[in-house]
Amino acid sequence: MTSSDSALPGRTQQSPLASQRDTATQGTGGRRSGGPMFPLSYKEGLCQWWSAVTPAAAEATVLSFLPFHHPIPAVSTTNPHTESTASPPEADPYGPRECTSTLVQLSGKNRALNEFSITRTAEPTAKNHMVLIHGYGAGLAFFYRNFDALSRVPGWKLWSLDLLGYGRSSRPSFTIHAKDPEGKINEAEDWFIDALEEWRKERGIEKFTLLGHSLGGYLSFRYSAKYPERVNKLIMASPVGIPEDPFAVKQALPEENEEIAFQGHDETASRSNPNLSGTLNVPPNGIQSSSAPVSPGGSINSLPDERDALATQKPAANTTEAPPRRPYPKWLVYLWEANVSPFSLVRWSGPFGPRLVSGWTSRRFKQLPEDESQALHNYAYSLFRQRGSGEYALAYILAPGAFARRPLIWRVQDLASKVGPGGIPSVWMYGDQDWMDVAGGFAAEEKIRNTPVSMKDGKPEGSYVGGEEWRGDKEGFGGEAKVLIVQNAGHHLYLDGHEEFNRMIVKEMKDVEARETALSGSQV
């Protein structure tokens, strides 16, 4: 793709890939004719199902809203696609910049990560790196409103990845071999975390700033705890799994003969019950919360969000302190115990799948312009209908209602106390209309700030003291953490309030630079 434009296209100017939108959205416009719950009509849903837009084409359509040139998505590990953001490259007022779409091959069979990156080509090799990780069921193109602003910062290279088993990354079979509860959780988390670490080694990145949304935020924390020397700052946007719920951490494991196997259009292996036994090691100082998000009842309208788990749990026989839980239909409990993902329902529904997905997309993206909302709907459906893979890890990591089986609040202090001098600064971000309760973020902030850091000559040994913004009234003797609220935004705050979100992230990038300057000065 080339263009004769002498300047970078404006935000409202049609990008080089905009012509793809007509093809990708043909037959699905005006999808509100189907009703308020499922706006897509039966006819429109059938048309979308029959046309079967590929994930690559759907991703390209979403990225066509970028205000600059970019390559078509790569579909091979041996043929990356690269293009300058403007023609000539010097016409980019924030560049020159270069976009690359790549499928990065990892070790083992059927393991590759979909990657989109933006490089500032007129500068030396980037000193700093920002890595964006999406949430449950999503893909890297969901960050299309953030790529431009974050790639304008000099000295930084921007990366966005599809998690293994999600988006356009490869979808290997997901299986758990461990028998004990701790082992199962570790194996499910490491399935994603170790793939990210292998990607880092493949790219030769020494250290980076990690930003994860929702489930991606949870996994970003776990990565930072396992590989602390690789993260210079952790940013979590509406992260799932912070507070402790007694039901989630003490779920009884059914007998082996009660396991249920399901086989769908793309399933090749039975899925055992992921629920955990009461032997999970619960720390005595765990913080419980009754204000975290609770499942609204397993509505298919909310299928991609972590809060919409498909069942509830009964307390163990000897449990008396747990609060009562809202009862759920037996069929929902049955599906959850069989580890049937909500995307399996989309796949099994065939021509009704697009209409089911429209129940979620019409509400999640209703604040966006119609063409962007439609493109995200098509993109989401193209991903949901793909072979099941990473989605099956969710039931091992989270219990119904988005409560983690191993809550982050148990280990947030590790960001300050067990990752070297000063620890890893962490940012906990929420939308002011977020269904994910900000109380979890404030609890994490408080616990981190109360965790002593290494001291030297009576002062924190960290590379940079961020002051009251980071340590509150702890006078610089605790870990560094803060909560940020994006106004007029919900769970997808990076989309809903993208301008404020981008400003906040750019400020955090500048803070990383300030810390590095302070560290280099202290070592002179």
Side-chain angles (χ1 to χ4, degrees):
M1 293 170 290
T2 61
S3 173
S4 60
D5 295 342
S6 60
L8 184 70
R11 181 70 190 173
T12 59
Q13 183 172 337
Q14 190 180 56
S15 74
L17 281 180
S19 60
Q20 296 188 18
R21 297 176 197 160
D22 293 337
T23 301
T25 60
Q26 186 175 8
T28 57
R31 63 192 194 292
R32 298 188 181 280
S33 60
M37 183 172 291
F38 302 109
L40 200 67
S41 70
Y42 289 105
K43 180 179 179 181
E44 292 160 345
L46 176 62
C47 179
Q48 184 177 3
W49 173 78
W50 182 261
S51 63
V53 174
T54 66
E59 179 183 300
T61 303
V62 175
L63 294 181
S64 71
F65 291 100
L66 290 174
F68 48 68
H69 298 173
H70 57 90
I72 61 174
V75 294
S76 169
T77 57
T78 60
N79 186 25
H81 296 167
T82 300
E83 185 169 348
S84 295
T85 54
S87 180
E90 295 74 19
D92 183 345
Y94 304 105
R97 294 175 290 179
E98 190 174 79
C99 301
T100 301
S101 174
T102 314
L103 290 176
V104 183
Q105 183 67 57
L106 304 180
S107 63
K109 183 180 180 181
N110 192 25
R111 297 179 74 247
L113 295 187
N114 183 35
E115 168 197 289
F116 182 79
S117 63
I118 304 179
T119 306
R120 302 184 61 80
T121 57
E123 302 171 5
T125 302
K127 183 179 180 181
N128 291 299
H129 301 266
M130 168 71 75
V131 179
L132 309 181
I133 303 295
H134 62 79
Y136 178 63
L140 62 80
F142 273 58
F143 292 110
Y144 73 99
R145 285 191 161 193
N146 316 115
F147 290 148
D148 181 32
L150 302 188
S151 64
R152 294 179 182 181
V153 184
W156 286 76
K157 182 165 184 176
L158 183 65
W159 309 82
S160 186
L161 302 173
D162 282 342
L163 291 167
L164 184 65
Y166 283 114
R168 291 200 311 112
S169 291
S170 63
R171 294 177 175 248
S173 297
F174 179 84
T175 56
I176 292 292
H177 303 287
K179 300 300 182 181
D180 63 293
E182 290 281 356
K184 289 183 177 181
I185 298 175
N186 285 335
E187 193 171 345
E189 293 175 351
D190 288 348
W191 202 76
F192 302 104
I193 293 170
D194 291 343
L196 177 58
E197 171 62 7
E198 187 175 351
W199 170 85
R200 181 200 64 79
K201 292 179 180 178
E202 184 70 22
R203 286 299 181 234
I205 301 173
E206 184 68 21
K207 210 167 186 179
F208 58 88
T209 296
L210 185 55
L211 191 164
H213 171 250
S214 200
L215 179 63
Y218 176 96
L219 293 173
S220 294
F221 177 94
R222 294 302 186 193
Y223 176 90
S224 301
K226 186 172 183 178
Y227 302 104
E229 70 281 1
R230 302 305 177 190
V231 180
N232 51 30
K233 178 177 284 188
L234 174 62
I235 304 174
M236 290 158 286
S238 192
V240 71
I242 299 176
E244 176 185 334
D245 176 81
F247 287 89
V249 301
K250 296 182 179 181
Q251 178 78 29
L253 185 68
E255 299 294 334
E256 290 295 321
N257 59 5
E258 293 180 355
E259 292 185 356
I260 305 169
F262 270 84
Q263 187 139 356
H265 297 300
D266 49 16
E267 316 299 333
T268 58
S270 63
R271 310 294 177 184
S272 63
N273 189 307
N275 295 328
L276 307 178
S277 69
T279 61
L280 186 63
N281 184 25
V282 180
N285 61 341
I287 295 180
Q288 298 184 13
S289 171
S290 60
S291 59
V294 178
S295 170
S299 169
I300 191 65
N301 287 354
S302 305
L303 57 95
D305 284 345
E306 293 87 347
R307 64 171 171 171
D308 300 317
L310 293 178
T312 189
Q313 310 158 93
K314 295 181 179 180
N318 60 348
T319 299
T320 58
E321 72 279 11
R325 310 295 274 172
R326 179 181 175 183
Y328 287 78
K330 291 183 178 180
W331 65 270
L332 290 178
V333 178
Y334 180 84
L335 291 175
W336 176 263
E337 292 185 347
N339 199 1
V340 176
S341 83
F343 308 121
S344 295
L345 304 181
V346 173
R347 292 187 288 267
W348 294 344
S349 62
F352 299 104
R355 191 163 186 263
L356 292 178
V357 174
S358 74
W360 176 74
T361 57
S362 63
R363 292 182 296 107
R364 290 296 180 266
F365 309 129
K366 64 182 179 181
Q367 78 287 354
L368 300 177
E370 176 63 23
D371 54 350
E372 295 183 37
S373 176
Q374 183 64 61
L376 286 171
H377 163 79
N378 295 342
Y379 179 52
Y381 175 65
S382 74
L383 300 182
F384 296 169
R385 68 180 296 176
Q386 299 305 303
R387 180 183 188 273
S389 179
E391 66 199 60
Y392 295 113
L394 184 69
Y396 291 85
I397 297 173
L398 302 180
F403 289 106
R405 298 189 184 281
R406 185 161 55 187
L408 297 186
I409 197 65
W410 289 358
R411 303 309 329 166
V412 294
Q413 68 273 14
D414 290 354
L415 294 177
S417 63
K418 296 183 179 181
V419 293
I424 299 176
S426 60
V427 183
W428 309 72
M429 301 183 70
Y430 297 84
D432 66 338
Q433 302 168 28
D434 209 322
W435 61 259
M436 196 73 74
D437 197 342
V438 68
F442 282 117
E445 175 192 76
E446 181 68 13
K447 192 170 185 180
I448 292 170
R449 288 181 173 184
N450 281 312
T451 301
V453 298
S454 301
M455 304 293 290
K456 185 177 182 179
D457 298 328
K459 297 180 180 180
E461 197 176 354
S463 61
Y464 177 77
V465 179
E468 184 176 355
E469 178 185 17
W470 285 94
R471 287 174 174 164
D473 59 356
K474 308 306 176 185
E475 299 181 352
F477 295 99
E480 292 185 299
K482 63 181 177 182
V483 175
L484 297 178
I485 307 297
V486 177
Q487 299 300 312
N488 301 312
H491 183 55
H492 294 271
L493 59 162
Y494 58 93
L495 278 176
D496 301 344
H498 68 282
E499 292 181 347
E500 183 179 5
F501 179 89
N502 290 338
R503 286 194 295 270
M504 289 178 172
I505 299 302
V506 169
K507 182 180 178 181
E508 296 308 320
M509 296 165 74
K510 296 294 185 182
D511 178 73
V512 169
E513 296 173 1
R515 292 170 186 273
E516 291 175 342
T517 299
L519 179 60
S520 61
S522 65
Q523 294 176 340
V524 174

